[in-house]
């Protein structure tokens, strides 16, 4: 029947798609730069503990909610929850939609850098010719047409994969793209760690140093937990959506563990690819400079690499584009699934291609604002720069979208998910889903504790800190 729900073609395909969603700008950009400016080794240890406790638990819960309800995020809550919690799915669904407004623009910038390095390889006019990374980025932000055009290309590429469906498009793309990404990452690491002076970067990452925890424990905890959530694509409807296409015979617990471990390994590898090179060719200040890392520092690092620079630069930005694309695909699929699900409840026949087309149009509309704004470079009006006389988080449209999605809806949604599963749906129902197909729920006690106590406490803390960071608490 036309409306029968699709499933992943194989467990490997599902894993690649879920890992593809998790591995993105968060790993390759966020993780290294946050590790850089939030304490190196100490940050790493806190991150690992959080991923094992909260990350694993929430991921397992989301996959189970999806598979149990056979619905995307919004439908899942309508089906499984009482009136009190029915609306919770909207938090994740809206959050994913808003994140697309800037995630696609950030991906588009990487596409542009990929072209810059490609141009350098063949000495073409669109190459950078050794221009300072800061200048390239500044020019891109104020060149509204180029930013917009690259964004449109990125969105069309996302839609082109989604049109072909869960197993035909998303799974096929990720099955090849993820292993490729891994190989490219290893190539970049090979160059990075053999540079003179790379040891300093490695020492920064792996030499035990607890100082940052003594000085700023809560700060490190806040940065690491926010990062962990974003990196695992949690609280954003995605893992519920992907779980809803998972056959009952597959082992959710094992899959959740593999996804958490893979995402963390890729983040670490990205750190090893980026930080030693930045230390060696840019010096400590450049390496630890924060968000500028991806779009300014690294281009300068490739400029300083000599003849190999454009090649390594091209491979690096290509791998970032692939990582961003596989994440953007998962973000967009949540909205597409939602619309498909609602057709089903109205007994109408859906047309995935047409739905995807209209979702692309909607995403392009919101992304156009962020692209034209150029991180606030073009003097555009931004809503709510001050509220009640207090300067808030919105220095640009990206910040505005980010504050509502990642800052507010994501942690709140994930918090309510834990409360819903722990206290209303109950762990016994969760266990029933995890044990489908005859698998034993090995970590049940651990998950119960994390779901009812550890995760909600940490999530409230994340929420509080995000609101504070974004200036909402004055
Ligand atoms: N997890 C992705 C990353 O690390 C980003 C992402 C966030 C993707 C939310 C989907 C949803 O970049």
């Amino acid at each position: 029947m036309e409306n029968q729900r699709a499933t992943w073609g194989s467990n490997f395909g599902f894993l690649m798609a879920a890992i593809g969603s998790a591995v993105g700008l968060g790993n390759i950009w966020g993780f290294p730069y946050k590790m850089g400016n939030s304490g190196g080794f100490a940050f790493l240890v806190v991150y690992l503990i959080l991923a094992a406790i909260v990350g694993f638990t929430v991921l397992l819960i989301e996959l189970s909610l999806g598979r149990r309800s056979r619905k995307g995020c919004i439908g899942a809550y309508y089906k499984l929850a009482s009136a009190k919690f029915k609306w919770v799915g909207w938090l994740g669904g809206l959050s994913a939609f808003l994140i697309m407004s800037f995630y696609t623009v950030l991906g588009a910038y990487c596409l542009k850098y990929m072209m810059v390095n490609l141009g350098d390889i063949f000495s073409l006019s669109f190459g950078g010719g050794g221009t300072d990374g800061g200048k390239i980025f500044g020019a891109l932000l104020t060149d509204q047409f180029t930013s917009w055009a690259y964004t449109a290309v990125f969105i069309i590429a996302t839609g082109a994969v989604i049109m072909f469906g869960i197993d035909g498009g998303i799974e096929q793309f990720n099955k090849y793209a993820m292993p490729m990404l891994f190989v490219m990452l290893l190539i970049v690491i090979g160059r990075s760690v053999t540079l003179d002076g790379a040891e300093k970067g490695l020492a920064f990452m792996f030499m035990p140093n607890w100082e940052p925890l003594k000085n700023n424990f809560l700060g490190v905890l806040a940065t690491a937990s926010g990062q962990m959530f974003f990196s695992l694509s949690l609280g954003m409807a995605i893992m519920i959506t992907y779980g809803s296409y998972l056959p009952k015979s597959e082992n959710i617990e094992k899959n959740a563990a593999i996804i958490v471990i893979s995402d963390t390994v890729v983040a670490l590898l990205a750190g090893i690819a980026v930080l030693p090179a930045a230390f060696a060719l840019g010096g400590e200040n450049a390496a630890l400079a924060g968000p500028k890392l991806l779009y300014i520092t690294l281009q300068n690092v490739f400029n300083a690499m000599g003849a190999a620079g454009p090649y390594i630069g091209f491979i690096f930005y290509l791998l970032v584009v692939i990582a961003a694309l596989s994440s953007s695909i998962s973000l967009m699929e949540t909205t597409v699934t939602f619309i498909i699900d609602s057709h089903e409840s109205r007994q109408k026949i859906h047309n995935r291609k047409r739905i995807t087309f209209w979702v692309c149009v909607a995403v392009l509309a919101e992304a156009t604002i962020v692209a034209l704004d150029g991180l606030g470079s073009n003097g555009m009006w931004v809503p709510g720069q001050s509220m009640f006389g207090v300067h808030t988080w919105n220095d640009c449209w990206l910040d505005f979208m980010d504050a509502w999605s990642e800052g507010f809806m994501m942690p709140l949604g994930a918090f309510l998910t834990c409360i819903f599963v722990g206290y209303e749906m109950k762990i016994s129902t969760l266990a029933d889903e995890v044990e489908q197909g005859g698998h034993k729920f090995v970590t049940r006690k651990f998950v119960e504790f994390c779901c009812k106590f550890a995760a909600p406490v940490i999530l409230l803390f994340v929420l509080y800190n995000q609101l504070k960071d974004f200036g909402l608490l004055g």
Side-chain angles (χ1 to χ4, degrees):
M1 250 181 61
E2 178 90 20
N3 269 3
Q4 208 168 40
R5 199 174 189 76
T7 52
W8 301 103
S10 67
N11 196 55
F12 176 75
F14 158 73
L15 275 174
M16 290 302 109
I19 293 171
S21 169
V23 169
L25 295 171
N27 303 62
I28 299 174
W29 174 32
F31 187 84
Y33 98 67
K34 287 179 190 167
M35 192 164 179
N37 63 16
S38 309
F41 177 79
F43 173 88
L44 175 62
V45 173
V46 173
Y47 184 92
L48 292 177
I49 295 173
L50 285 169
I53 298 179
V54 189
F56 170 74
T57 302
V58 178
L59 178 55
L60 180 130
I61 289 175
E62 292 198 359
L63 291 174
S64 307
L65 290 179
R67 191 170 76 175
R68 189 155 198 89
S69 62
R70 287 268 177 259
K71 292 271 183 262
C73 170
I74 294 165
Y77 282 90
Y78 271 90
K79 192 152 165 184
L80 302 174
S82 71
K84 245 190 300 177
F85 288 101
K86 270 202 192 329
W87 57 281
V88 170
W90 284 99
L91 288 173
L94 272 173
S95 184
F97 185 74
L98 289 182
I99 287 183
M100 263 186 294
S101 72
F102 62 88
Y103 204 83
T104 51
V105 177
L106 294 172
Y109 292 159
C110 296
L111 200 56
K112 166 74 183 170
Y113 276 89
M114 187 185 100
M115 296 308 284
V116 165
N117 284 279
L118 187 69
D120 281 339
I121 295 178
F122 297 106
S123 310
L124 298 173
S125 60
F126 51 84
T131 312
D132 175 69
K135 282 220 178 81
I136 301 184
F137 197 44
L140 177 59
L141 294 178
T142 47
D143 181 349
Q144 292 175 307
F145 177 73
T146 304
S147 299
W148 181 83
Y150 274 95
T151 302
V153 169
F154 192 86
I155 292 172
I156 292 170
T158 304
V161 175
I162 291 188
M163 289 211 165
F164 293 98
I166 294 297
D167 47 338
I170 302 180
E171 179 168 351
Q172 291 304 324
F173 174 82
N174 282 292
K175 224 162 66 180
Y176 298 101
M178 285 303 111
M180 239 171 79
L181 179 143
F182 192 71
V183 173
M184 290 190 285
L185 197 52
L186 293 183
I187 297 175
V188 179
I189 288 177
R191 178 65 281 206
S192 170
V193 299
T194 51
L195 290 164
D196 268 349
E199 353 40 90
K200 283 193 233 112
L202 291 172
F204 175 75
M205 290 179 71
F206 298 114
M207 284 265 285
N209 169 14
W210 302 107
E211 274 316 300
L213 292 190
K214 286 192 203 133
N215 307 334
N216 182 18
F217 176 69
L218 290 182
V220 175
L221 187 64
T223 314
S225 36
Q227 166 65 18
M228 187 271 301
F229 254 77
F230 188 75
S231 185
L232 283 171
S233 306
L234 298 176
M236 261 162 294
I238 288 170
M239 294 300 177
I240 299 186
T241 304
Y242 275 13
S244 75
Y245 297 107
L246 194 62
K248 291 280 183 195
S249 53
E250 302 299 349
N251 188 335
I252 286 188
E253 190 181 33
K254 198 167 104 201
N255 280 329
I258 294 175
I259 296 167
V260 173
I261 293 170
S262 310
D263 184 64
T264 309
V265 167
V266 173
L268 270 175
L269 290 177
I272 300 176
V274 165
L275 289 175
F279 264 90
L281 296 175
E284 179 162 346
N285 284 344
L288 310 185
K292 284 193 276 188
L293 191 61
L294 184 63
Y295 301 109
I296 297 181
T297 315
L298 281 177
Q299 183 54 40
N300 289 335
V301 165
F302 299 128
N303 286 345
M305 249 181 212
Y311 293 93
I312 300 291
F314 173 73
I315 296 177
F316 177 78
Y317 285 111
L318 173 61
L319 88 84
V320 184
V321 168
I322 292 178
L325 204 53
S326 57
S327 298
S328 152
I329 289 170
S330 69
L331 284 164
M332 193 184 278
E333 178 58 37
T334 58
T335 306
V336 172
T337 291
F338 163 64
I339 299 175
I340 289 179
D341 285 352
S342 39
H343 275 73
E344 195 180 315
S345 55
R346 279 186 244 125
Q347 312 218 317
K348 278 166 57 183
I349 293 190
H350 72 262
N351 178 336
R352 174 175 273 269
K353 289 204 168 66
R354 195 171 51 205
I355 292 172
T356 307
F357 173 80
W358 286 110
V359 173
C360 282
V361 171
V363 171
L364 184 59
E366 55 167 356
T368 295
I369 303 175
V370 177
L372 296 184
D373 183 41
L375 301 183
S377 307
N378 299 313
M380 273 167 60
W381 170 82
V382 184
Q385 270 175 329
S386 85
M387 272 160 80
F388 315 116
V390 182
H391 178 82
T392 64
W393 69 98
N394 301 324
D395 287 321
C396 59
W397 273 94
L398 188 152
D399 287 352
F400 174 75
M401 299 292 195
D402 194 26
W404 282 105
S405 52
E406 202 195 341
F408 179 64
M409 290 192 253
M410 179 191 87
L412 179 64
F415 168 78
L416 292 171
T417 300
C418 290
I419 301 297
F420 161 65
V421 172
Y423 299 97
E424 181 180 294
M425 188 180 106
K426 301 275 160 43
I427 301 295
S428 51
T429 311
L430 181 73
D432 181 61
E433 188 56 41
V434 173
E435 286 166 356
Q436 296 281 324
H439 304 290
K440 193 168 159 20
F441 189 1
V442 188
T443 54
R444 176 174 173 158
K445 286 251 144 45
F446 171 77
V447 167
E448 175 156 16
F449 170 76
C450 291
C451 171
K452 287 186 168 163
F453 308 106
V457 170
I458 291 178
L459 282 163
L460 276 186
F461 176 72
V462 175
L463 182 62
Y464 168 76
N465 267 284
Q466 306 269 40
L467 293 181
K468 208 170 78 187
D469 265 9
F470 284 116
L472 271 182
L473 301 179

